[in-house]
Amino acid sequence: AGSEPDMRRSGRTRLVGIAILVALAALIGREASFTASLRSAWFDAYQVLAPRIPQSMPVTVVEIDQKSLAAIGQWPWPRTVMAELLDAIRRDKPAAIALDILMPESDALSPERVLARAGKTDTELARVLANRPSNDAVLARALTDAGAILVVAGMPEPTGMLLRAPPFSVRDVGEHAPAAMPVAPNLARYSGALASIDELDRAASGRGLISVDPEGGVIRRIPLAASIDGTLVPALAIEMLRVALGVPAVRLHVSGSTVESIAVGDFAVPTEGDGAVRIYYSHRRSDRFVSAIDVLEGRIDPARLQQQLVLIGVTGLGL
């Protein structure tokens, strides 16, 4: 038998060991904020030390940049100009076109709104403007002709805006998939949607989610699907693929409420349990981008757009 001092030391050692185990268990269970910060720091370090090396370039960004703004004028442009841009891109036969621009209000530069402001002071101007289609009608026609995709944002409160989304099929691929109705997938949830005005939204061929939740101002993860007031909505990237492939629905694979993957056609992406993926960034490459004014004025090689996923976005300073 050990001596009494040895037994006391052994008892204290066990107590210290138990205390450490309890603390570690609590740390792992709660995922303390500094642990999450450390993991994010490592993730960012790996991005810098070993950035992704692109093996292909399926996406072209048509950017509304400083050069375009200097040539055409301040933002927002009249939607007739956006229609011209869509038509110019469509002529080069891309796989899909998406506008990463929300338009929740009618165009303030549209003829009928100018007419309303002009009143009856200029009857000749009123006659000319009354015979012109609205700017929104012109853009709606271009959206339909191009089979273009618009964006939608998730909002924390109901907005009353109509939400359109492609159908989803949800399949439980777990080992013990329930025979009864599956539980709701563990996705990002929003109470309302912010979309473009209905005249534009109903003319589009698809709608993709652009909402993300930055961590400390850095976007490391993006949801590939979310639930807006119970309606499943795909991320913009997924919706662009769906439209490009010409498939009617998005497939969500789950195990219980845990999301396993999202798929369109033969293309499937494994996700984290909440339907999000971590972005593996590459360095910025200038050959991914073309200026909107160069597209409008026919100064680009059509191959830059042909069979590409084309994303129209605003990159000008201050926007």
Side-chain angles (χ1 to χ4, degrees):
S3 65
E4 187 174 339
D6 290 338
M7 293 175 67
R8 282 199 297 269
R9 280 196 298 272
S10 176
R12 284 196 296 270
T13 301
R14 281 197 297 271
L15 288 173
V16 171
I18 290 170
I20 292 173
L21 287 173
V22 169
L24 287 173
L27 184 66
I28 293 169
R30 294 180 60 189
E31 191 176 28
S33 59
F34 71 85
T35 304
S37 298
L38 182 61
R39 184 174 63 179
S40 294
W42 274 112
F43 184 76
D44 295 347
Y46 283 129
Q47 296 272 29
V48 173
L49 294 171
R52 183 172 61 86
I53 300 174
Q55 302 301 313
S56 62
M57 298 283 285
V59 178
T60 298
V61 178
V62 174
E63 56 176 344
I64 297 168
D65 56 0
Q66 289 299 111
K67 182 170 74 169
S68 301
L69 294 169
I72 293 176
Q74 67 183 24
W75 185 258
W77 290 342
R79 289 182 187 158
T80 49
V81 176
M82 296 304 298
E84 291 174 19
L85 181 59
L86 270 175
D87 289 340
I89 295 169
R90 175 176 59 86
R91 285 194 288 270
D92 289 330
K93 297 180 171 55
I97 309 172
L99 282 78
D100 190 9
I101 300 165
L102 276 166
M103 295 172 281
E105 297 176 343
S106 298
D107 188 353
L109 300 174
S110 197
E112 76 282 359
R113 300 190 71 176
V114 174
L115 178 59
R117 289 195 294 272
K120 299 180 179 179
T121 57
D122 191 332
T123 56
E124 181 60 23
L125 174 63
R127 186 186 64 79
V128 172
L129 294 181
N131 292 323
R132 294 177 59 86
S134 72
N135 289 3
D136 292 314
V138 173
L139 180 54
R141 185 168 60 247
L143 288 167
T144 299
D145 291 344
I149 300 144
L150 293 178
V151 294
V152 60
M155 303 296 287
E157 301 295 336
T159 62
M161 297 191 80
L162 180 65
L163 173 63
R164 295 179 176 91
F168 269 72
S169 66
V170 181
R171 180 186 172 199
D172 197 318
V173 295
E175 291 184 11
H176 305 289
M181 182 69 68
V183 296
N186 177 34
L187 296 168
R189 285 179 167 78
Y190 302 95
S191 296
L194 181 64
S196 295
I197 61 171
D198 192 64
E199 183 175 10
L200 301 178
D201 190 69
R202 68 172 179 263
S205 292
R207 297 114 197 126
L209 183 76
I210 56 171
S211 297
V212 295
D213 294 317
E215 304 169 33
V218 178
I219 297 174
R220 299 181 179 91
R221 303 168 74 247
I222 61 169
L224 294 189
S227 172
I228 299 182
D229 193 26
T231 297
L232 300 186
V233 182
L236 179 58
I238 297 297
E239 183 69 340
M240 289 184 74
L241 283 172
R242 185 191 71 80
V243 172
L245 295 172
V247 297
V250 180
R251 305 192 308 279
L252 194 68
H253 296 153
V254 300
S255 179
S257 64
T258 301
V259 181
E260 300 285 345
S261 65
I262 190 168
V264 286
D266 294 331
F267 182 86
V269 186
T271 69
E272 297 187 351
D274 60 354
V277 293
R278 291 186 179 269
I279 306 173
Y280 188 10
Y281 284 103
S282 65
H283 286 304
R284 178 185 171 90
R285 291 180 49 156
S286 60
D287 54 348
R288 285 193 179 116
F289 298 84
V290 294
S291 176
I293 189 62
D294 289 340
V295 174
L296 283 165
E297 297 184 352
R299 291 197 298 263
I300 67 161
D301 182 352
R304 298 289 302 275
L305 303 176
Q306 190 172 22
Q307 289 305 304
Q308 290 286 97
L309 299 169
V310 177
L311 184 66
I312 302 172
V314 182
T315 64
L317 294 175
L319 301 177

